[in-house]
Amino acid sequence: MSKKKSKSSRIAIVVLGMHRSGTSALAGVLNILGCDKPATVMDPNPFNELGYFESKRIYPLHSELLASAASRWDDWQPINPGWFDSPRAEEFHDRAVETMQNEFGTSRLFVLKDPRISRLVPFWRGVLADIGVSPRFVLTLRNPLEVAASLAKRDNINSELSMLIWLQHMLQAEYDTRDQKRCFTGFAQLMDNWAGVAETIQTKLDVALPRMSMGVVGEVEAFLRDGLRHHNQDPQKLLANPLISSWVRDTYEVFLRWVQTGEDKADFATLDRIRTTFEETAPSFARLVQASRDDARAAREANSEVARLTEEAATLKSASSEAGNRAEEAAKTAERLKSELAEKTTALKSLQEREAALRTESETGKTEIDRLKGETARLNDAVRQARGKADTLDKTVA
């Protein structure tokens, strides 16, 4: 009989990766396999039918945190290193500790997911350490062309900017987790062989997923339905395209190989070179990228206004149609009431004529009755007179 440990370590499987890279799908599968999700979970929407498996409390915390560092979710540049040592970082650290306690309580195995953590790994390592949780990182990969197509549809971000954002998230997440227990997987691999991905996570992260059994196959496969896989692109369409930045192609090639055959430390030099060059040259074209972001934001706002006006026009058209339907129904009702009125008027006239006839008949009958009464009275008088004469005659004869 095994002896129970006095205190088991708490484990958080932290899902990292670029936005629109299948991080929600992976977090959902881990939840089915036994990892607790946050107490308050963001609702699904048309852009993420599975649901996000993100905390409703951590989401605004991240938005405020990034704003305090003059950044945002779609920033393609690293967060100012000085922010991590600032008093503001300490304030958000305390808030994050409290939020984690509210969201996960004393759970010993849970999944923490938000693509923005990819740029905030040092911050979250400190938070998890303070609440006695050991992080195990899963970095999930998706073809940058697919990511760009998804962001263009959802946020009207052009593909060049999407690739810069992708590059920043992936390079930063990889660099900040090198000394941690981690593994690499991809959205395509999850959709094609989720059980293989789960087994890799168990092996590489030294964690047992409590519901990893045949009993959950139907549940997971119903969750990962085929319709969730959009914008599917062959990796070679990116890798063999010389018009796409070599930074993106070389980074994707390394991560794709790691997903397929395992991590190779010999590739660190390549990734460090790309990351260093990327960050050093960023100021040179930051204004151009910012102009592109401004254009994208203006386009989103314009699209939003068009959508609002379209919806308003549809509402007015619907109201007009409804008013027309009501007017037509009112006209039909008026015609019906008019017909009913004519019928009732005719019936009333007939009744009035019948009443007049009966009244005439009644008056005629009354006159006849009076005549008959007078005749009866005369006959009664004649009878009395005749009886009187008869009585007198009888007396005379006697």
Side-chain angles (χ1 to χ4, degrees):
M1 183 176 179
S2 63
K3 185 176 180 181
K4 185 177 180 181
K5 296 180 181 179
S6 59
K7 184 177 180 181
S8 300
S9 60
R10 299 178 64 197
I11 295 175
I13 299 183
V14 184
V15 177
L16 303 179
M18 173 59 182
H19 301 265
R20 315 307 295 166
S21 291
T23 55
S24 298
L26 178 57
V29 170
L30 290 171
N31 175 237
I32 294 173
L33 295 180
C35 299
D36 293 332
K37 61 184 177 180
T40 63
V41 182
M42 292 175 62
D43 298 324
N45 63 31
F47 294 108
N48 199 331
E49 300 169 8
L50 291 176
Y52 289 85
F53 293 89
E54 291 181 25
S55 162
K56 286 184 177 180
R57 295 188 178 108
I58 292 177
Y59 181 87
L61 174 72
H62 271 153
S63 297
E64 294 173 31
L65 184 158
L66 290 173
S68 77
S71 186
R72 48 183 285 163
W73 76 267
D74 58 351
D75 198 346
W76 57 278
Q77 298 184 79
I79 293 174
N80 170 26
W83 180 89
F84 292 95
D85 297 321
S86 70
R88 193 66 67 201
E90 295 178 5
E91 294 175 7
F92 280 100
H93 175 97
D94 294 342
R95 287 179 57 184
V97 166
E98 181 181 359
T99 301
M100 289 295 290
Q101 291 170 340
N102 290 332
E103 290 297 87
F104 297 103
T106 59
S107 172
R108 293 191 177 277
L109 179 62
F110 59 90
V111 57
L112 177 62
K113 174 261 170 181
D114 184 334
R116 292 172 294 182
I117 298 176
S118 300
R119 300 170 60 227
L120 295 166
V121 170
F123 172 83
W124 279 102
R125 286 175 61 176
V127 171
L128 293 172
D130 265 14
I131 61 175
V133 174
S134 172
R136 313 289 170 89
F137 296 95
V138 183
L139 287 80
T140 185
L141 176 71
R142 190 179 186 186
N143 189 325
L145 292 176
E146 298 176 10
V147 171
S150 183
L151 286 176
K153 181 178 180 180
R154 191 189 73 173
D155 301 294
N156 201 35
I157 296 177
N158 66 51
S159 61
E160 290 77 12
L161 179 54
S162 291
M163 300 235 181
L164 291 177
I165 301 170
W166 178 89
L167 199 60
Q168 176 57 234
H169 277 70
M170 297 303 295
L171 290 173
Q172 197 68 56
E174 186 281 322
Y175 180 75
D176 287 335
T177 58
R178 280 187 187 174
D179 61 341
Q180 299 290 298
K181 287 186 177 181
R182 69 180 185 178
C183 68
F184 291 78
T185 185
F187 181 54
Q189 287 69 26
L190 181 71
M191 297 298 293
D192 292 338
N193 182 13
W194 66 266
V197 170
E199 183 58 28
T200 297
I201 290 173
Q202 289 192 124
T203 302
K204 296 291 186 181
L205 301 188
D206 188 24
V207 60
L209 298 172
R211 300 187 76 237
M212 180 67 179
S213 70
M214 289 299 297
V216 300
V217 170
E219 189 176 350
V220 175
E221 292 184 352
F223 177 72
L224 294 177
R225 56 191 184 277
D226 290 338
L228 297 172
R229 195 170 183 174
H230 307 294
H231 314 295
N232 196 23
Q233 297 279 358
D234 185 338
Q236 288 304 314
K237 190 171 182 180
L238 181 139
L239 294 173
N241 188 345
L243 299 180
I244 293 177
S245 166
S246 61
W247 293 345
V248 174
R249 286 185 285 124
D250 292 347
T251 300
Y252 180 58
E253 188 277 327
V254 169
F255 286 140
L256 184 62
R257 184 159 34 81
W258 286 9
V259 168
Q260 295 170 344
T261 62
E263 181 178 341
D264 185 352
K265 292 183 179 181
D267 293 315
F268 286 174
T270 298
L271 296 175
D272 287 343
R273 173 183 55 79
I274 294 171
R275 179 174 48 80
T276 301
T277 306
F278 179 37
E279 292 180 359
E280 287 178 349
T281 58
S284 301
F285 55 92
R287 289 184 180 274
L288 293 175
V289 175
Q290 184 59 45
S292 175
R293 288 178 61 179
D294 291 342
D295 289 344
R297 187 176 300 110
R300 289 197 299 273
E301 291 173 355
N303 288 340
S304 177
E305 181 65 10
V306 168
R308 185 188 68 79
L309 292 173
T310 300
E311 183 178 357
E312 184 176 323
T315 300
L316 290 173
K317 183 178 179 180
S318 176
S320 175
S321 176
E322 185 178 348
N325 290 338
R326 286 200 301 266
E328 183 179 352
E329 187 63 29
K332 290 180 179 178
T333 301
E335 189 65 27
R336 178 176 57 81
L337 292 175
K338 183 178 179 181
S339 176
E340 290 179 1
L341 177 61
E343 292 176 2
K344 289 178 180 178
T345 300
T346 300
L348 177 61
K349 184 177 180 181
S350 177
L351 289 174
Q352 289 173 338
E353 291 175 350
R354 178 60 179 162
E355 180 186 9
L358 290 174
R359 189 174 288 120
T360 300
E361 291 177 5
S362 175
E363 291 176 354
T364 302
K366 183 178 179 182
T367 301
E368 181 64 18
I369 290 172
D370 290 342
R371 185 185 67 76
L372 292 174
K373 283 182 178 179
E375 184 66 25
T376 300
R378 286 192 296 272
L379 289 173
N380 284 334
D381 288 342
V383 169
R384 282 197 298 273
Q385 292 175 6
R387 283 179 180 171
K389 290 179 180 180
D391 288 343
T392 302
L393 183 59
D394 287 342
K395 291 178 182 179
T396 304
V397 173

